[in-house]
């Protein structure tokens, strides 16, 4: 029952991530093409060389800024994809957690059994010591009478 919404959410997440990836790559390619176009020297243009150079420089800076923004979007997208993979890989994490829990319970039972064994030995030794310490007092008391 809970698997169906997860699968739908996973497909939706995947579609959104794919769309974001396409947009970022398209932006990078468009801006790179615009930088190359601005860097191209056009002899047939009637605009003064200084004005053309400044305009081209301005265009290249704007496009380079857009490429940086698209690259940052790709980096954020990479983080989102990693997060999505971690969150959708919960069954594997749950299996690992269950195995680790079983190992810890086994160790706990072994420790508990060892402690009970030590407790029995201590109780036995304390009873022996108690009996040994009361016997001379009882024997000594009987001799005094």
């Amino acid at each position: 029952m809970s698997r169906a919404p997860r699968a739908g959410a996973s497909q939706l997440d995947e579609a959104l991530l794919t769309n974001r990836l396409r947009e970022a790559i398209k932006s990078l390619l468009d801006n790179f093409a615009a930088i190359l176009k601005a860097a191209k020297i056009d002899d047939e243009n009637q605009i003064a060389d200084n004005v053309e150079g400044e305009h081209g420089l301005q265009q290249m800076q704007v496009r380079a800024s857009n490429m940086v923004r698209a690259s940052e979007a790709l980096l954020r997208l990479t983080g989102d994809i990693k997060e999505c993979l971690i969150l959708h890989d919960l069954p594997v994490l749950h299996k690992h957690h269950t195995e680790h829990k079983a190992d810890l319970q086994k160790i706990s039972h072994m420790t508990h059994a060892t402690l009970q064994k030590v407790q029995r030995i201590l109780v036995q030794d304390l009873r022996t010591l108690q009996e040994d310490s009361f016997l001379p007092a009882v024997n000594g008391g009987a001799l005094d009478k």
Side-chain angles (χ1 to χ4, degrees):
M1 185 166 98
S2 64
R3 295 238 181 235
R6 282 187 184 170
S10 176
Q11 290 173 352
L12 180 63
D13 288 344
E14 187 177 330
L16 289 173
L17 293 174
T18 303
N19 189 29
R20 285 175 50 192
L21 177 66
R22 284 188 183 136
E23 287 175 5
I25 291 175
K26 184 180 182 304
S27 176
L28 279 172
L29 290 174
D30 290 345
N31 286 303
F32 185 70
I35 287 174
L36 291 178
K37 184 178 176 185
K40 183 179 177 183
I41 298 173
D42 191 13
D43 290 335
E44 297 175 8
N45 199 348
Q46 295 180 358
I47 301 175
D49 289 337
N50 289 339
V51 174
E52 183 180 350
E54 288 297 321
H55 178 70
L57 182 64
Q58 169 100 23
Q59 263 190 338
M60 284 188 247
Q61 288 174 345
V62 169
R63 296 299 182 157
S65 175
N66 289 343
M67 288 180 71
V68 168
R69 217 171 318 156
S71 299
E72 289 172 349
L74 280 174
L75 287 175
R76 282 192 305 273
L77 178 64
T78 303
D80 292 346
I81 289 172
K82 287 178 184 178
E83 181 181 322
C84 186
L85 286 174
I86 289 170
L87 291 177
H88 291 342
D89 204 16
L90 286 179
V92 173
L93 292 175
H94 180 68
K95 179 183 174 190
H96 176 71
H97 175 71
T98 304
E99 291 172 355
H100 187 64
K101 183 179 175 183
D103 291 342
L104 290 176
Q105 285 177 339
K106 192 184 308 181
I107 292 170
S108 176
H109 290 304
M110 289 172 42
T111 305
H112 186 66
T114 304
L115 285 174
Q116 285 180 338
K117 184 191 253 183
V118 169
Q119 181 185 14
R120 284 192 301 268
I121 293 170
L122 284 174
V123 166
Q124 199 173 30
D125 289 346
L126 286 174
R127 283 188 183 151
T128 305
L129 286 172
Q130 187 178 21
E131 289 172 3
D132 290 345
S133 66
F134 283 128
L135 275 178
V138 170
N139 288 340
L143 294 175
D144 289 337
K145 288 185 181 181

